Amino acid sequence: MPPKKYLIPLLLSMLLSLWMAGQIPLMPEENPGTPTLECGKPAATPEVLRYLHEVVRKMPVERNAGTTCIPAKIHIVRRDDGTGGISLTDVNKALANLNYYSFEASTPMEFYICDPIQYIDNTNWYNFDMTEESAMCDPNDAGNAMNIYFVGEICETPGTNCGIAGYAYYPFNDIQSTRSVMRNDQMVLYANGTFVHEFGHNFSLEHTHTGTQNGPNDPDAERVTRTPPDANCDTRSDDFCDTDADPRYDPAYFNSSTCTYTGNQQDDQGNVYTPPVDNIMSYYPDQCGGLFTAEQKTALGQGLAARQAHTAYTLDCPAATVTDPSGLTATVTNNYTIQLNWTDNAGNETGYLIERSTTSAGAGFRALKFGGTGPNTTSFEDDQLTANTDYWYRVKASNDNCNDYSNVVSINSGLLYCVPSVLQSDNCSLNGYGVGIGRFKIDDNGTNLLDNDNDACNGPLSVYSNTFTANVTAGSTYDFTIELLSENGDGTGLYFPQNYAIWIDTNQDGDFDDAGEMVAQSNFNCTGSPSIITGTFTVPSTASGGTTTLRVRTQSCSDGIVSSPCAAYNFGEAEDYGLNITSSLPVSWVSFAARQKEKKVLLEWQTASEVNTSFFAVERSLNGLDFEEIGRVDAAGSSLEILNYAFVDANPVSGTLYYRLRQVDADGAYVYSPVEVVQFDAGRGELRVYPNPSNGQFTLEAPAGTQPLRVEVYDLRGRLCLQKEMNSPSQQLQGLLPGMYLLRLYATGGVYEKKVLVE
């Protein structure tokens, strides 16, 4: 439905007429420019279906150590005059999304562009209908790649049933089965959208509603139950029992705002359907999910195995020889993104793909959603981030060998915050009238602490924390002023009434989701919102000391209260400011963690500030309720720096252990840390390293009963010197220079450490 009316004093009738005339933007799924279309996959012949169910579904698959590289031949159809073709930027964004999801197949897949890209200038085929497939594809199909055609429109027959987003074929020993036809404007709406859905068909996946959409009595209809003897999920519909029975998406039975099925349709046994609204192979809106189930991932690998066995075509189109990009760098920007820059050393690339890891410089890389650029580009901005996370990046040409990359660069994201979105097309405006914040002030009993009078809007979020910071004290109350964007830029004239909310990241964890972090909120009606809003907020007394972020956000009051710092709103603005908080507590916690280490439990914690602290009492409980003190650690007294502490529980007992810290002030006041839980196993084996000392070559053996994952070696300064993945209980390490090192093994049983000496 279109958004609600936006009311302006003295302009109500004008807005009503504008809304009725359709000049207020529609929600994305109803925007005529980006319509929600459906898969137009042709019905498979009985022969193809028998092959799918009797051959493909029985293919053995094995997970590779890396990925299987698959060539994609790109055919871009344009009008006769060469206009209208999809951009290479969108092609590469779509390819990045495909690589993100195809990595999850039981045999991980990675697609590259089979050079060169083919351009077909034909207006009739640009406005494509499915009766033209043979004429368009037969002379242009590559016999050694998956063939992907991009067109402007897809109709079933000339001028009829043109609501088709794309279609593709199941695996079969015929070159036609390598084809998929995609509509340009559907490629980069959602990462899990049309392109990935059709890839699912290309590699054997059926719709989740196959057969069931024809009613509960259809021979292929799937029942809701998953338990024998009444279950038929492994032989009906899509053959998978981990995708729920699906009567097919119908907007009459679906709440798109909450992504929930609202119908009461029943199977032949009277059970109400609970369809898989988040599955890629369903017809439910893409914004409601985006996943393949475990059985679907296995079937994707079976589809690949079937294609590799075919003789009517091959998948061996050679990659181009492209000089790798170099000089890759990464920088955290003021807008909570990571900016990548590199040197473009090639002249024949079809674009670049971005890959990211959260594991290490040598492992864990995966395509980044929407992580594609056009050719001749040297930068990319990643906004899909988590606060305080280590990231590794690399860049490669989309038509180069799958394993040719730039250098790898690493960066920590730091304290990032979500970037909210609004659905308006102009910057914080509706038909020329502002919907946003023109000025924000913080005062302390008449003393100005912060004043940003900008009368401008830079989009959904403006980050001012580097230039506007207020000094405040935890537990104190402050005055604020929000001046809405208005006709005259000073709070006078015409304006859109708005509600507001204010949050403070009190524990400095990079979000505004914790209890008590919303410190102010309005609930105006559309005639009661002034253009200059005043109020107060209190910095919670539990707020950690140090620098953090305050977010103020507004939205049109006709859309209700502001309840989320991140969610999409129709119109409005958010602004972030800095707060330098003086804590009212004796200690400001940064972190507290406990873990088993060999036959002991190691407790580690950090404080950001301390005021007249005396000591930390370490307390342990066997039931989470009754704690006893097991040791003490002296505190620093007073400090504004981050301090590190540690304590070893040398006598733990097997079972669930609960730990907390009681920080005691010099005057006897105290405060508790959060509780940490450790599942302690007294019988857990130890890590063996021998010989130790060594000449730089030694053998590592994982504790019995564990599955080793990787080993890391650090020098005494904490620098990572060596890292290896482990796939067997023992591993030889060599090549270390003389010195003392800390060896850390990550395994299914936990983390194990051992100091080693190289002589």
Side-chain angles (χ1 to χ4, degrees):
M1 59 181 292
K4 299 177 182 177
K5 299 175 282 292
Y6 294 82
L7 309 180
I8 305 177
L10 307 179
L11 289 180
L12 174 59
S13 61
M14 182 189 77
L15 272 179
L16 284 171
S17 63
L18 289 173
W19 181 70
M20 294 298 291
Q23 296 182 38
I24 293 180
L26 302 172
M27 300 293 281
E29 62 269 21
E30 298 180 6
N31 189 327
T34 54
T36 298
L37 308 178
E38 293 185 348
C39 170
K41 186 190 173 306
T45 66
E47 183 183 12
V48 169
L49 289 176
R50 280 196 302 272
Y51 180 78
L52 178 67
H53 294 284
E54 296 176 11
V55 178
V56 177
R57 288 289 179 265
K58 297 178 182 178
M59 283 281 186
V61 294
E62 294 182 2
R63 186 172 180 89
N64 296 336
T67 58
T68 296
C69 297
I70 301 174
K73 183 66 175 181
I74 304 299
H75 310 269
I76 297 178
V77 183
R78 304 182 296 193
R79 300 183 184 93
D80 290 341
D81 60 3
T83 63
I86 190 172
S87 71
L88 290 185
T89 297
D90 282 358
V91 169
N92 283 286
K93 286 182 178 179
L95 194 66
N97 295 338
L98 180 58
N99 283 342
Y100 177 86
Y101 284 99
S102 62
F103 181 82
E104 296 181 345
S106 55
T107 302
M109 291 178 257
E110 183 176 355
F111 290 81
Y112 65 92
I113 292 176
C114 170
D115 222 20
I117 290 176
Q118 181 183 29
Y119 289 92
I120 304 173
D121 293 340
N122 186 309
T123 299
N124 289 333
W125 294 344
Y126 180 78
N127 299 313
F128 179 77
D129 69 79
M130 296 170 67
T131 64
E132 300 171 316
E133 180 186 315
S134 292
M136 181 177 74
C137 300
D138 286 353
N140 294 306
D141 282 338
N144 55 358
M146 299 299 296
N147 289 279
I148 305 172
Y149 292 83
F150 292 100
V151 298
E153 180 183 60
I154 305 176
C155 301
E156 185 174 357
T157 57
T160 61
N161 188 18
C162 296
I164 297 174
Y167 70 90
Y169 290 93
Y170 297 138
F172 196 65
N173 195 20
D174 188 305
I175 195 169
Q176 183 186 37
S177 79
T178 67
R179 297 173 187 164
S180 58
V181 182
M182 309 286 184
R183 178 167 161 160
N184 296 340
D185 61 7
Q186 300 297 298
M187 288 303 94
V188 292
L189 297 179
Y190 297 94
N192 56 292
T194 297
F195 203 49
V196 178
H197 178 101
E198 302 306 333
F199 152 82
H201 288 319
N202 266 155
F203 288 85
S204 85
L205 299 187
E206 300 177 78
H207 290 134
T208 57
H209 53 257
T210 298
T212 311
Q213 65 177 329
N214 298 321
N217 296 317
D218 186 275
D220 195 37
E222 183 179 359
R223 291 171 174 167
V224 171
T225 183
R226 287 308 191 251
T227 56
D230 295 324
N232 64 356
C233 52
D234 59 348
T235 59
R236 296 292 187 272
S237 189
D238 60 1
D239 299 332
F240 305 134
C241 288
D242 61 357
T243 60
D244 291 314
D246 182 3
R248 191 182 186 278
Y249 169 70
D250 184 335
Y253 302 124
F254 194 73
N255 185 327
S256 60
S257 63
T258 60
C259 289
T260 53
Y261 172 73
T262 59
N264 58 1
Q265 298 160 285
Q266 299 176 353
D267 67 7
D268 65 350
Q269 296 182 320
N271 299 309
V272 176
Y273 292 111
T274 56
V277 301
D278 56 356
N279 195 276
I280 290 173
M281 301 311 296
S282 76
Y283 271 6
Y284 294 90
D286 294 327
Q287 59 266 39
C288 293
L291 60 81
F292 290 125
T293 64
E295 289 183 77
Q296 286 176 320
K297 293 173 185 177
T298 297
L300 290 172
Q302 291 172 323
L304 172 61
R307 290 197 176 279
Q308 290 172 325
H310 290 163
T311 57
Y313 61 89
T314 63
L315 296 176
D316 58 3
C317 177
T321 300
V322 183
T323 303
D324 295 334
S326 61
L328 179 64
T329 62
T331 307
V332 178
T333 74
N334 289 337
N335 294 318
Y336 309 138
T337 65
I338 289 178
Q339 177 76 36
L340 301 178
N341 291 281
W342 62 88
T343 300
D344 177 7
N345 297 314
N348 64 331
E349 79 280 1
T350 54
Y352 287 108
L353 300 176
I354 316 300
E355 296 187 346
R356 189 179 74 182
S357 170
T358 56
T359 303
S360 71
F365 280 95
R366 185 175 182 179
L368 187 65
K369 292 180 181 178
F370 296 103
T373 77
N376 303 316
T377 54
T378 58
S379 64
F380 179 84
E381 197 167 4
D382 181 10
D383 61 1
Q384 305 166 50
L385 303 171
T386 302
N388 295 316
T389 300
D390 289 326
Y391 290 108
W392 288 264
Y393 293 91
R394 64 190 186 190
V395 179
K396 67 179 181 181
S398 55
N399 57 328
D400 199 359
N401 185 286
C402 281
N403 298 311
D404 284 350
Y405 307 99
S406 68
N407 59 297
V408 175
V409 65
S410 64
I411 190 170
N412 185 279
S413 57
L415 199 61
L416 301 176
Y417 294 88
C418 61
V419 177
S421 60
V422 293
L423 304 179
Q424 39 80 6
S425 58
D426 299 322
N427 281 350
C428 308
S429 68
L430 178 60
N431 300 304
Y433 295 93
V435 186
I437 303 166
R439 185 178 190 177
F440 182 67
K441 295 176 59 181
I442 298 177
D443 296 282
D444 182 12
N445 293 321
T447 300
N448 179 255
L449 303 180
L450 182 153
D451 187 355
N452 182 22
D453 185 2
N454 61 8
D455 283 324
C457 178
N458 299 316
L461 175 68
S462 296
V463 180
Y464 296 111
S465 51
N466 288 340
T467 52
F468 291 93
T469 298
N471 295 318
V472 297
T473 301
S476 298
T477 300
Y478 299 90
D479 302 312
F480 69 86
T481 301
I482 302 173
E483 183 179 293
L484 301 179
L485 289 174
S486 61
E487 183 182 32
N488 299 326
D490 59 358
T492 64
L494 302 175
Y495 67 99
F496 279 100
Q498 296 166 61
N499 274 309
Y500 70 86
I502 298 175
W503 293 265
I504 298 173
D505 180 15
T506 58
N507 60 355
Q508 302 174 24
D509 66 345
D511 62 48
F512 304 103
D513 301 333
D514 301 291
E517 292 194 329
M518 178 187 282
V519 296
Q521 183 185 46
S522 70
N523 189 12
F524 297 130
N525 59 43
C526 284
T527 59
S529 165
S531 62
I532 299 178
I533 302 167
T534 59
T536 63
F537 69 85
T538 299
V539 181
S541 60
T542 56
S544 300
T547 301
T548 192
T549 297
L550 174 148
R551 173 165 294 180
V552 54
R553 188 177 189 189
T554 66
Q555 75 160 343
S556 169
C557 64
S558 62
D559 281 336
I561 63 173
V562 179
S563 59
S564 169
C566 307
Y569 288 156
N570 287 324
F571 291 88
E573 185 188 7
E575 294 182 348
D576 283 3
Y577 294 92
L579 287 185
N580 188 20
I581 299 177
T582 299
S583 177
S584 60
L585 297 175
V587 65
S588 175
W589 304 102
V590 174
S591 64
F592 172 47
R595 60 183 173 88
Q596 181 170 351
K597 182 181 179 183
E598 305 293 345
K599 302 294 186 180
K600 304 173 183 178
V601 173
L602 174 64
L603 292 82
E604 298 174 300
W605 63 96
Q606 285 184 322
T607 63
S609 63
E610 298 180 28
V611 180
N612 295 323
T613 56
S614 178
F615 62 89
F616 297 91
V618 180
E619 299 183 351
R620 184 181 69 193
S621 170
L622 301 181
N623 58 12
L625 300 173
D626 304 309
F627 285 85
E628 63 174 350
E629 182 177 325
I630 61 172
R632 293 188 177 187
V633 176
D634 290 337
S638 294
S639 172
L640 294 177
E641 299 178 348
I642 291 182
L643 298 177
N644 297 286
Y645 295 90
F647 178 86
V648 174
D649 181 2
N651 300 294
V653 295
S654 289
T656 304
L657 301 178
Y658 303 85
Y659 293 91
R660 71 182 182 188
L661 304 174
R662 179 168 54 92
Q663 190 281 317
V664 182
D665 200 1
D667 61 3
Y670 61 88
V671 63
Y672 285 109
S673 73
V675 174
E676 282 289 301
V677 181
V678 175
Q679 299 293 335
F680 185 78
D681 180 5
R684 193 171 81 176
E686 295 188 4
L687 170 65
R688 295 188 62 221
V689 181
Y690 58 89
N692 187 17
S694 78
N695 61 1
Q697 179 172 337
F698 47 85
T699 299
L700 174 153
E701 288 187 0
T706 68
Q707 175 62 47
L709 302 174
R710 71 179 187 275
V711 59
E712 297 175 349
V713 180
Y714 295 85
D715 65 17
L716 293 184
R717 298 178 63 182
R719 295 176 300 188
L720 180 62
C721 301
L722 180 66
Q723 177 175 271
K724 283 193 174 184
E725 304 300 314
M726 289 188 63
N727 53 20
S728 63
S730 66
Q731 176 76 56
Q732 283 199 337
L733 301 177
Q734 60 185 5
L736 294 175
L737 298 175
M740 182 71 73
Y741 297 90
L742 175 66
L743 188 151
R744 181 174 295 157
L745 172 69
Y746 293 86
T748 54
V751 180
Y752 302 79
E753 294 180 349
K754 182 80 70 175
K755 286 185 178 180
V756 296
L757 175 63
V758 177
E759 297 179 328

